[in-house]
Amino acid sequence: MNSSTLPARVSAGHPMVSVGAITLSTFLVVTSEMMPVGVLTPMAASLGVTAGGAGATLTVTGAIAAVVSTFAPALAARVDRRTILIAFMIVLAVANALTAVAPTYAVVMLGRVLLGVAMGMVWGLAAGLGGRIAPPSRSALATTLIFSGVSIASVLGVPLGTSVGGVLGWRSAFWLLAALSVVAAIGLRLAVPALPADSAAGFRGIFSVLRVPQVVAGLAITALLVVGHFTGYTFIRPVLEFGVGAAEGGIAAALLVFGIAGVVGNFAVGGVAALRPKRAVVGTATTLALGVAGVSALSLLGTAGFGQGTGQAPASIALVAIAIWGLGYGGVSVATQRWIATAEPGQVEASAALWAGIFNASIAVGAVLGGAAFDGSGAVGTLAVALGIAATGVLVAALTSPRVPR
């Protein structure tokens, strides 16, 4: 491989501080994307739309982010990556502020479109920066930290925003995100070194990595695991309510356990993925599938009493199953990204952008499949579909490898 195609490393006095600034950025784009989940009811009432209409704000953001993140390197061209990240964190701030002041649903949707663009650019480029900023011995940790922003957003971001919205109104949650986005932009300017573009890959160049079978396998695994996860997780509340018999307190506890387990999974997999990417992917995929299978079994049995002060054993079993699911999903991002980087180390930015696009598109596909399955056959059918897709991901991971045969 021509050494000129390899990603150029940068030097910085405190590389992990730089990584921290990028992690804050990934945390904020994901929290901004998911915030309507936490303020859905008051947001819908204020704008005069249905809950489904308010929920569509997530769909629009995710769909746009999927397209933009795929083409992020080409759209950024030869512009310094630090400059791009700073610019689109400002766009994120504007998008959140626009949502906060929006007098109508149409204006909210405009803000969410801008948010999708910002999210796509930030995520599409940030995914491949860990190995450039940190020294080789710490590149895996850097990548793990960058993706921890995604996991931590699901545990802390939305709940904190929801709490603020509950006290000060739903618009205040978006004002908070706008302010933090400006802080993140300043942090990027102060902490991150210049990151010149590795290459000026055009739109066609981004897809050149698909000539590598190992990259295609990694993208396929990513799609299967993320689609499988979101097929079930998007409807986890009704699954727990009607399939497992969970009460309000039990649902809150389950989601908290899931989020904490996800953060643990993210960091636990990082070190393994650096040295043994296949083992990391197979392990996370298997863990995710086992967790889905556990919740599916409880749903099939119609376990009652979870979170209602009775049937403590079923409650414990349900929490264990949810924790296993969260542990597996928490490692998916860092494990599959490491697979992609191992498969084609000479075009990390292009492959990372494709991976980000596949990841975001898979979220939308999983939500649609989950909705169709839940409407057609309820919690049991939804989890059966989710498990089948995730199990296929396990099989593909077991039968392929990220390393080019010698």
Side-chain angles (χ1 to χ4, degrees):
M1 180 177 294
N2 191 326
S3 61
S4 64
T5 65
L6 294 174
R9 293 187 179 276
V10 297
S11 58
H14 301 284
M16 301 316 286
V17 174
S18 301
V19 169
I22 297 174
T23 300
L24 176 60
S25 300
T26 60
F27 169 82
L28 288 173
V29 295
V30 174
T31 300
S32 298
E33 179 193 28
M34 300 302 294
M35 185 52 64
V37 172
V39 296
L40 196 69
T41 303
M43 184 179 181
S46 174
L47 296 171
V49 298
T50 64
T57 59
L58 276 81
T59 305
V60 168
T61 299
I64 292 174
V67 175
V68 173
S69 60
T70 300
F71 299 106
L75 292 171
R78 290 189 177 276
V79 180
D80 185 283
R81 281 12 186 179
R82 178 183 65 175
T83 301
I84 292 290
L85 292 179
I86 293 171
F88 281 94
M89 288 308 294
I90 296 299
V91 173
L92 185 72
V94 172
N96 282 314
L98 191 59
T99 301
V101 302
T104 65
Y105 180 67
V107 177
V108 167
M109 291 301 277
L110 175 59
R112 299 297 289 182
V113 168
L114 287 176
L115 197 153
V117 173
M119 180 178 178
M121 291 299 291
V122 172
W123 201 352
L125 295 177
L129 292 180
R132 291 190 62 190
I133 292 175
S137 61
R138 307 188 77 182
S139 62
L141 175 60
T143 300
T144 300
L145 286 171
I146 288 173
F147 284 116
S148 73
V150 177
S151 299
I152 295 172
S154 67
V155 180
L156 297 178
V158 173
L160 286 176
T162 302
S163 298
V164 171
V167 175
L168 302 176
W170 69 270
R171 295 178 187 274
S172 64
F174 290 98
W175 277 122
L176 175 62
L177 288 170
L180 290 175
S181 298
V182 174
V183 171
I186 295 172
L188 289 168
R189 179 63 183 85
L190 296 176
V192 178
L195 294 166
D198 291 334
S199 64
F203 291 97
R204 291 183 180 180
I206 292 173
F207 294 99
S208 65
V209 296
L210 295 179
R211 298 172 184 171
V212 182
Q214 292 76 14
V215 171
V216 175
L219 294 175
I221 295 165
T222 301
L224 288 166
L225 295 181
V226 177
V227 169
H229 166 72
F230 278 96
T231 295
Y233 187 71
T234 301
F235 297 88
I236 192 64
R237 183 180 180 111
V239 163
L240 290 172
E241 281 181 323
F242 306 119
V244 179
E248 187 71 28
I251 293 170
L255 294 180
L256 178 61
V257 166
F258 181 93
I260 293 173
V263 175
V264 172
N266 180 85
F267 283 99
V269 168
V272 178
L275 300 175
R276 301 180 182 275
K278 175 169 180 170
R279 178 176 294 182
V281 171
V282 172
T284 56
T286 302
T287 304
L288 188 156
L290 287 174
V292 176
V295 177
S296 180
L298 290 173
S299 181
L300 184 62
L301 293 171
T303 304
F306 176 50
Q308 298 177 358
T310 61
Q312 292 303 308
S316 299
I317 294 171
L319 287 176
V320 168
I322 286 288
I324 293 172
W325 186 346
L327 193 68
Y329 180 69
V332 167
S333 296
V334 65
T336 54
Q337 174 57 31
R338 178 56 60 176
W339 177 300
I340 297 295
T342 301
E344 180 47 282
Q347 298 187 65
V348 171
E349 188 172 74
S351 61
L354 274 177
W355 172 88
I358 290 291
F359 199 105
N360 281 294
S362 297
I363 293 173
V365 172
V368 171
L369 284 178
F374 194 83
D375 289 343
S377 52
V380 173
T382 303
L383 291 172
V385 173
L387 179 57
I389 297 171
T392 303
V394 176
L395 182 62
V396 174
L399 295 178
T400 57
S401 172
R403 302 189 188 281
V404 178
R406 294 182 178 180

